[in-house]
Amino acid sequence: MIRTLVAEHVHLLRMGLVVYLTREPGIDVVAELEEGDLLVPAASEVTPEVAVIDVDLPPAGGASVATELRAKLPECATVMLVGRGDSCALSRAMAVQPLGLITREAPVERLTWCVRRVAAGRSVVDPDLARTARAIDENPLTRREQEILRIAAVGASTVEIAAELSLSAKTVRNHLSRTFDRIGARNRMDAIRIASEREWL
C-alpha cells in the first residue's frame, strides 16, 4: 500500500481527493490536512510515502511546508498541486523540486497515476503545466524586475512603485530600463504585454 498524505485547504477538493484515492487499490490515505502548520508533525507520526500538497496551503504556503517536510522525512515523495496557468505559484512549487507537479484541474485518474509514479521514485510533470514550466525556466527577468512589472501592470507610477517597494524612483527607473533591454520592449506597456504573454509575471 502507498501511504499517502493529502494537504489541501479547499474542503470540497480535499474531500474529493481523499475519497477517490481511498477507493484506489494499493493507495492508503493515512492523513488529511487543511493547514500547513500541522503537516510535518502529522507526517512524522504517520510516515507517508507520498504527500500531495497544495502550493497555496495556508498559512505559509505549500512550498515552504514541502521544504520542511523534505528535511524531516526525505524518504517521503512530494506531489505539488498548482492551478493551471498560475505561473507564480508554479514557480514557487518548482523551487522546492517536488517529484510530482500536477494541476488542481487534472482528472483524478492522472493524480492516481502521479501518486503511483512518484512512489516508485519517478518524476512527473503534468502536461498542462509543462508549457508554463518551460516559460518559467526561460524567464530572463530577475525577481525584482518581475515584481516591479507586476505592480506597474495595475497602473502604478514610478513613484508609487518605489514607495511600495521601499526603493528610490531612480532605482525603479533603472530596473525598468534593464527590463526593456533584456526582453526587447519599447516601453513599459510593451514590457508588461511581452512578460504577460510569455507568463513571466
Side-chain angles (χ1 to χ4, degrees):
M1 297 290 281
I2 302 171
R3 297 170 61 79
T4 305
L5 178 151
V6 175
E8 167 57 60
H9 63 293
V10 178
H11 179 75
L12 287 177
L13 179 54
R14 185 177 70 257
M15 291 298 98
L17 293 173
V18 169
V19 168
Y20 184 81
L21 290 173
T22 300
R23 290 175 178 171
E24 283 294 299
I27 297 177
D28 181 21
V29 177
V30 294
E32 54 174 286
L33 306 163
E34 61 182 342
E35 290 188 8
D37 290 347
L38 308 173
L39 195 150
V40 172
S44 298
E45 184 175 339
V46 300
T47 59
E49 297 169 66
V50 176
V52 179
I53 305 172
D54 192 303
V55 71
D56 294 323
L57 189 69
S64 63
V65 173
T67 300
E68 186 180 355
L69 179 64
R70 177 177 295 171
K72 298 285 186 180
L73 289 173
E75 66 277 11
C76 179
T78 301
V79 175
M80 298 294 290
L81 296 175
V82 183
R84 182 186 293 130
D86 189 342
S87 57
C88 292
L90 181 55
S91 182
R92 294 196 306 273
M94 290 172 62
V96 300
Q97 300 180 329
L99 207 52
L101 278 168
I102 191 165
T103 66
R104 299 187 191 100
E105 300 84 0
V108 287
E109 296 85 359
R110 192 178 296 169
L111 175 62
T112 303
W113 172 78
C114 181
V115 167
R116 296 186 192 284
R117 189 172 177 89
V118 301
R122 300 175 181 174
S123 63
V124 174
V125 176
D126 191 304
D128 291 335
L129 293 176
R131 177 175 171 272
T132 306
R134 285 194 297 272
I136 290 171
D137 283 340
E138 298 164 0
N139 190 344
L141 301 177
T142 66
R143 182 171 297 180
R144 178 63 86 187
E145 289 165 350
Q146 293 175 63
E147 194 172 27
I148 288 172
L149 272 189
R150 278 196 291 269
I151 298 170
V154 299
S157 68
T158 299
V159 172
E160 290 169 334
I161 295 170
E164 183 165 340
L165 298 179
S166 300
L167 300 172
S168 70
K170 181 180 179 181
T171 298
V172 171
R173 283 192 291 270
N174 288 340
H175 277 299
L176 286 170
S177 179
R178 282 194 296 271
T179 297
F180 300 162
D181 291 341
R182 204 187 305 275
I183 66 177
R186 296 184 301 275
N187 51 42
R188 183 182 303 198
M189 294 307 298
D190 195 34
I192 292 168
R193 177 189 61 79
I194 292 170
S196 297
E197 287 177 354
R198 299 182 185 178
E199 299 180 321
W200 291 341
L201 297 184

